[in-house]
Amino acid sequence: MRDRAPIATDVIGESRSPTPEVKVRAVARVWACALWGLETALVTVEVDVANGLPAFVVVGLPDAAVQEARERVRAAIRNSGYEFPLRRVTVNLAPAERRKEGTGFDLAIALGILRASGQLAVDVEALCLGELALDGALRPVRGTMPRVRHALARGIAAALLASANAGEAAACGADAYGFGSLREAVDHVAGSARVAPTVAPAPAPPERPAVDLADIAGQETPKRALEIAAAGAHSLLLVGPPGTGKTMLARALPSLLPPLDHDEALAASAVHSVAGLVDPRHPLLRSRPFRAPHHTASHLALVGGGSPPRPGEVSLAHAGALFLDELPEFSRHVLDTLREPLEEGAITLSRAAAAATYPARVTLVAAMNPCPCGHAGDAAAPCTCLPDAVERYHARLSGPLMDRIDLRVHVPRLAYEDLRDVGRESTRTVRERVLAARERMRERLDGTGRRTNAEMTVAEVRRFCRVDTEGDVLARDAMRARRLSARGVHRALRVARTIADLALRATIAGEDLALALLLRGAS
């Protein structure tokens, strides 16, 4: 007996004839995109609707969320007014060798089923991203920005996605079409109700400085260190008694940093997109991130992790600043996980199934007391800590971590008369010097792929950080007397290069290196 396609039914006992002249596609293909960290790959969602016992199978190494798409897609198609085929539906996510994670394949699977079953008469020539609700509503997904950027690089200029994600796609330069439901997406593809592409959202207005340097009395040396850190992206540690303004100084840093350029904004925004922290109204970051996690944060929160691996605070602060207040109160194990990201500017989270790499080029700013009670070396208040307690307190910070901190500055207690000083420099004045120094760095490092002095390699330090005879003697004496490591000397030379840039000097003077070594001494 010859096989017959089953007749679709709405209610038991009430049959209706199939739609005449249905253009059935043997195997429908729809573009989607898989995401592992910030690594992306185009996925071809292949859908075959064949005769046989009703079944719905998803293959191609799907995870649990993708497997559960079968129920979401089935309900969404029916509740959107379409018929789910009472036949054998096979969905393949190609290439099948890489694991597929998340709920972003729902829309592509649904459109592929409608195309393969003949309910959609045209092919879908766009990237499809979105999670489906049971009633057919389209929900946003994380990681839209890196997926759309990857699709654009592969020649796919249009994207169909949830309305909440359309701004992200438009900010990347794609023709982004946002929809509230599966029905709207099908009508757009079929041409019965076309939707205009989303206009790229306007950038967020500049943020008002949380702290102005003119509001901070005294502390000229810490302010100078803060300016150097902002100009060259150098790590900074502020050490001093409680209430001397360490946190206030650190929170003045974001207003000194230059604005993000387009490439930095895309890279930083992509990390926030993967973490689900993008503002739909302003998806592209304009101000540099400033992250300040609490000292109870775990190593997973700080550097990232989980399954699948998610970005941590050090990656969310990429191209900006990471502030660690009360540094010794963090677990030593947690702090030591920062050693590689501070050196490499990226972090790779390896798991059994896959590995995810996130950028982590940050300016680290930390603050701490000199001892548990906070008054060691304070002439105004005696220290009540036993010597072994102070030793244990400092032992929480490992030597390799401290060696990666370029500037270590003491923040002393102020006298009452210092609170009334006048003529302080404002953030605006200092920022102009920072911007001028950054421009000198940009011209010098053009073509190297680096933007700041802190990023220079050893070869570039030898090329751009040459010192005179006086500086050579200073560096030699520092290695002998203060037991500086080779890395410590190179970091001091990078800081000296920044000091010279702020002073508009083409070469490093002996006084520049002397100041760099002096600012590296407090701890």
Side-chain angles (χ1 to χ4, degrees), residues 4 25 54 66-67 89 116 197 203 206 219 243 279 284 296 325 331-332 341 353 368 387 390 456 504:
R4 294 183 179 177
R25 185 69 179 265
V66 182
Q67 287 283 12
V89 179
Q219 308 298 9
D279 182 357
L284 205 59
T296 56
D325 203 0
S331 164
R332 175 167 176 161
M368 62 176 284
V390 177
M456 285 193 293
L504 304 180

Side-chain angles (χ1 to χ4, degrees), residues 80 82 107 110-111 114 119-122 160 179 181-193:
S80 297
Y82 304 104
L107 178 60
L111 292 177
L114 294 176
Q119 299 177 74
L120 181 59
V122 296
L160 311 181
F179 307 102
S181 66
L182 174 61
R183 166 65 79 173
E184 293 179 12
V186 173
D187 290 343
H188 172 81
V189 174
S192 58

Side-chain angles (χ1 to χ4, degrees), residues 457-469:
T457 63
V458 173
E460 289 161 354
V461 169
R462 291 174 179 169
R463 179 182 175 188
F464 299 123
C465 301
R466 295 178 180 177
V467 294
D468 55 17
T469 303

Side-chain angles (χ1 to χ4, degrees), residues 58-398:
V58 179
V59 297
L61 283 184
D63 72 345
V66 182
Q67 287 283 12
E68 291 171 354
R70 295 176 299 176
E71 306 307 321
R72 292 192 298 271
V73 169
R74 191 197 312 268
I77 288 178
R78 287 176 173 169
N79 292 326
S80 297
Y82 304 104
E83 296 179 5
F84 190 86
L86 296 178
R87 303 163 72 185
R88 182 173 182 81
V89 179
T90 304
V91 176
N92 178 41
L93 307 178
E97 61 184 9
R98 289 296 300 266
R99 189 165 183 81
K100 317 304 185 304
E101 301 169 346
T103 59
F105 300 95
D106 290 9
L107 178 60
I109 293 174
L111 292 177
I113 291 173
L114 294 176
R115 178 70 182 106
S117 63
Q119 299 177 74
L120 181 59
V122 296
D123 292 333
V124 182
E125 302 290 346
L127 180 72
C128 298
L129 297 174
E131 176 187 332
L132 287 174
L134 297 184
D135 62 355
L138 201 54
R139 292 171 174 163
V141 295
R142 295 181 300 103
T144 296
M145 195 168 289
R147 298 191 214 210
V148 172
R149 290 177 64 191
H150 180 82
L152 285 171
R154 297 301 183 275
I156 302 176
L160 311 181
L161 24 66
S163 298
N165 289 143
E168 293 182 58
C172 295
D175 296 329
Y177 300 93
F179 307 102
S181 66
L182 174 61
R183 166 65 79 173
E184 293 179 12
V186 173
D187 290 343
H188 172 81
V189 174
S192 58
R194 299 289 292 181
V195 174
T198 301
V199 178
E207 298 180 1
R208 293 178 59 87
V211 177
D212 194 293
L213 288 179
D215 299 329
I216 303 176
Q219 308 298 9
E220 296 306 320
T221 299
K223 287 181 183 178
R224 176 67 168 153
L226 195 68
E227 178 183 348
I228 296 170
H234 302 289
S235 50
L236 169 65
L237 174 63
L238 302 169
V239 185
T244 54
K246 302 184 295 294
T247 301
M248 196 172 182
L249 282 163
R251 294 196 177 276
L253 178 64
S255 57
L256 294 178
L257 297 174
L260 292 166
D261 63 32
H262 184 67
D263 291 340
E264 287 178 316
L266 284 175
S269 301
V271 178
H272 284 243
S273 177
V274 171
L277 300 178
V278 167
D279 182 357
R281 299 170 299 172
H282 309 291
L284 205 59
L285 295 179
R286 182 173 182 178
S287 301
R288 293 185 180 270
F290 182 80
R291 307 290 298 186
H294 193 260
H295 65 261
T296 56
S298 67
H299 71 280
L300 295 178
L302 198 60
V303 299
S307 182
R310 302 288 169 80
E313 293 291 338
V314 69
S315 296
L316 293 172
H318 174 66
L322 177 67
F323 176 43
L324 302 181
D325 203 0
E326 305 296 344
L327 186 65
E329 300 302 328
F330 286 82
S331 164
R332 175 167 176 161
H333 168 64
V334 171
L335 291 178
D336 281 344
T337 59
L338 289 175
R339 286 154 54 176
E340 290 82 0
L342 290 178
E343 196 72 25
E344 303 297 331
I347 183 167
T348 299
L349 306 172
S350 298
R351 298 296 181 265
T357 300
Y358 292 105
R361 184 71 64 186
V362 301
T363 300
L364 175 66
V365 183
M368 62 176 284
N369 296 325
C371 65
C373 78
H375 298 294
D378 187 358
C383 176
T384 60
C385 302
L386 296 176
D388 60 335
V390 177
E391 194 172 320
R392 287 196 303 272
Y393 185 74
H394 285 274
R396 298 178 187 176
L397 307 176
S398 67

Side-chain angles (χ1 to χ4, degrees), residues 24-28 47-50 115-116:
V24 180
R25 185 69 179 265
V27 175
V47 181
D48 175 66
V49 177
R115 178 70 182 106

